[in-house]
Structure formats: C-alpha cells, structure tokens
Amino acid sequence: MRIGPGVVLALACALVVAMTGTAAASEGREPARFMKPNMEKKLSKKGAKGVSIPLAALNTECPGVQSPGVSAGGCIVAPAGCTANFIFTDGASQYVGTARHCVDRIGQTVTMQVDTTTIADVGTVSHMTPGDGEPGNDWALIKIDPAVAAEWGVNPAMPVIGGPQGVYTGCGPTPVFHYGHGYGVAVGQGKVEAGLATNVFDDGYGWTGAGAPGDSGSGVLTAPGGPAIGNFTHLIVDLGAYPGSDLAGMRITKAMSQFGVSLVNADGSTTGPSSTSCGNAPS
C-alpha cells in the first residue's frame, strides 16, 4: 500500500467547468500514458500475472492509495483513466464497478492497478447502462477474470474511508464521502472528498462538494465505513434537475436491481438488491 504526499480538495476542477453545463468527471482523462500498443500486447501475453510499471509512472497515473488486488476504489488505467467503485457478485461470478462513460462496449478489456507496481487486464465489461452516461444512468460492471482473482485477490474494502457496509435507501439529505484517483489543478496525490447530497432520487443523486477528472466511477458512501449510496459520475449537473448540486452520480440501488447483483461489503458479507421510493430526477 502506498500513500501520496497530499490529501487536498479539488475545488479548482469544478470551477474550470462551472459555466459549461454537465461534464463527465473523467472528461480530459485519457488512458494512462504507458498504455501503448506494445503494452497491450505485453498484458495479453502475461495474462493474470500482469506487467510491472515503474513506480514513478504508476504514481503519476494512479495517485493515491492502492489496496492489493482487484479492489473497490482501485485505479483503472484503460480504456480510460477512472476509478472503480465496489465489488459485486451474482452468486457465480465477481464484478467490479465503474461509470458507464469510462468504458465503450460489452466485452471490452479493462486494465487496473493490482499492486504497488503492477497493472493487469482484470476482466471484461459485462453490464452497462444504455446511452453514453447521463446523471442517474451511468454505471458499468467488469466481470473479474477468475485467474486474476486467484493471482491477486479481490478486495471489497474501500481505501482510506473504509466500507462499504450495506446500502443507503433513504430519500432525504445525507452526507457523502468518496475516494478517487483523479487529479487536476490543485489536486495532490489522492484525496478524500466529502459533501452534502440534497437531491436524492431513485435513479441519481446530486451533492455539493468537490471532485476531479479521474474520480469518475468511484464509490460514494453516506458515512466513512458505512452504507453505499452510489457512484460519482459528473462534475456539473443540470441545475433544473439537481438545484444547488455541483456533482452527481447514479444510485447503487438502481444499478444492483438493473444488473441483478449483490454488493460485497468490506467484511465479505453481501447486501442484496433493494428498492427506493424517492421518485426519479425531473427531466
């Protein structure tokens, strides 16, 4: 496990796009710079063992804490620079989640950091919401390769903030916390962000807080070590649907019901799909 030198707020990134309307949180994050065609060939050849990357290069592309294995809150380096959210299961297979706009298609290979200096192709996209990824409709699941799980392990615990433990099914305002691998203006290497969600619907939720490109897909909790509410997908949202919110994500309850999976909690227990009765965000 490695910890970057700073834990700071990413307010500047939100300010840069504050006048441009809704923007995906990974906008501007390309795949890691070391993901060249020759690297893709190396990854394919090495299989579950992965490929070693110089520490400085991996720290630059994946700032922050990386728990061992295919991890909740882990760093995704391709097909886009994003953050994983939680670990899921359907009883037969294991999955790791991210945002829909971080992937392109079903069957696409996803590459993640699996330890301090190693990346590996951890699996392929198996589920995703339709469209290009809108607030409240922006989630994808990557089916974890059993060989990768056997080689590196699967870790359901979020780095730094702990959890998840259960899911939030309420409709009222709630504190929110997320940890992502994003960076940008005024962003140090890894950080915990916190805010207050005041627009909570069945499909999505919006909050006032801070985020950065590369945080996209990261898991959001309603308390450190506590219940999951959803993922983080957008920096600036439609003020008509989410008045006062400058960040938004999709509810985990909707994603779990849509994909037929259970959340794997940090302690290894599972929480099954559940419903909410908050109404959908106005269009």
Side-chain angles (χ1 to χ4, degrees), residues 246-273:
D246 52 22
L247 303 111
M250 181 175 171
R251 291 291 298 266
I252 191 173
T253 45
K254 180 183 177 184
M256 290 167 61
S257 296
Q258 184 169 336
F259 299 144
V261 293
S262 296
L263 171 70
V264 181
N265 295 308
D267 62 4
S269 64
T270 58
T271 298

Side-chain angles (χ1 to χ4, degrees), residues 67-244:
S67 300
V70 183
S71 177
C75 182
I76 297 174
V77 298
C82 287
T83 301
N85 48 61
F86 306 111
I87 302 297
F88 299 90
T89 182
D90 60 8
S93 300
Q94 297 182 96
Y95 306 85
V96 61
T98 190
R100 159 67 182 92
H101 70 259
C102 291
V103 302
D104 300 314
R105 65 186 185 279
I106 298 292
Q108 184 175 37
T109 298
V110 175
T111 309
M112 293 181 63
Q113 182 180 8
V114 291
D115 78 351
T116 306
T117 58
T118 308
I119 61 172
D121 289 341
V122 301
T124 57
V125 179
S126 57
H127 305 69
M128 63 186 188
T129 53
D132 295 326
E134 300 295 330
N137 187 42
D138 197 343
W139 204 296
L141 294 182
I142 298 103
K143 185 177 180 181
I144 300 171
D145 183 344
V148 174
E151 180 75 24
W152 298 101
V154 177
N155 183 2
M158 297 281 288
V160 184
I161 56 176
Q165 191 62 45
V167 300
Y168 178 73
T169 58
C171 302
T174 178
V176 289
F177 302 83
H178 82 270
Y179 181 89
H181 295 278
Y183 60 83
V185 180
V187 178
Q189 292 204 1
K191 73 275 178 242
V192 176
E193 304 286 14
L196 178 66
T198 53
N199 300 288
V200 182
F201 306 105
D202 291 332
D203 51 355
Y205 62 107
W207 72 98
T208 303
D215 286 347
S216 236
S218 55
V220 184
L221 308 178
T222 56
I229 184 172
N231 63 2
F232 168 36
T233 61
H234 288 77
L235 286 173
I236 303 296
V237 298
D238 179 355
L239 298 184
Y242 297 89

Side-chain angles (χ1 to χ4, degrees), residues 7-115:
V7 179
V8 299
L9 293 178
L11 293 171
C13 286
L15 291 174
V16 168
V17 294
M19 300 304 292
T20 64
T22 302
S26 71
E27 200 166 273
R29 282 295 306 274
E30 299 295 328
R33 283 174 287 184
F34 49 71
M35 288 300 296
K36 307 297 184 184
N38 64 324
M39 179 59 69
E40 295 173 1
K41 291 178 182 178
K42 288 181 182 179
L43 285 163
S44 179
K45 183 177 180 180
K46 289 288 187 178
K49 291 189 178 299
V51 174
S52 180
I53 302 294
L55 182 61
L58 201 48
N59 278 350
T60 298
E61 299 291 344
C62 289
V65 174
Q66 173 63 44
S67 300
V70 183
S71 177
C75 182
I76 297 174
V77 298
C82 287
T83 301
N85 48 61
F86 306 111
I87 302 297
F88 299 90
T89 182
D90 60 8
S93 300
Q94 297 182 96
Y95 306 85
V96 61
T98 190
R100 159 67 182 92
H101 70 259
C102 291
V103 302
D104 300 314
R105 65 186 185 279
I106 298 292
Q108 184 175 37
T109 298
V110 175
T111 309
M112 293 181 63
Q113 182 180 8
V114 291
D115 78 351

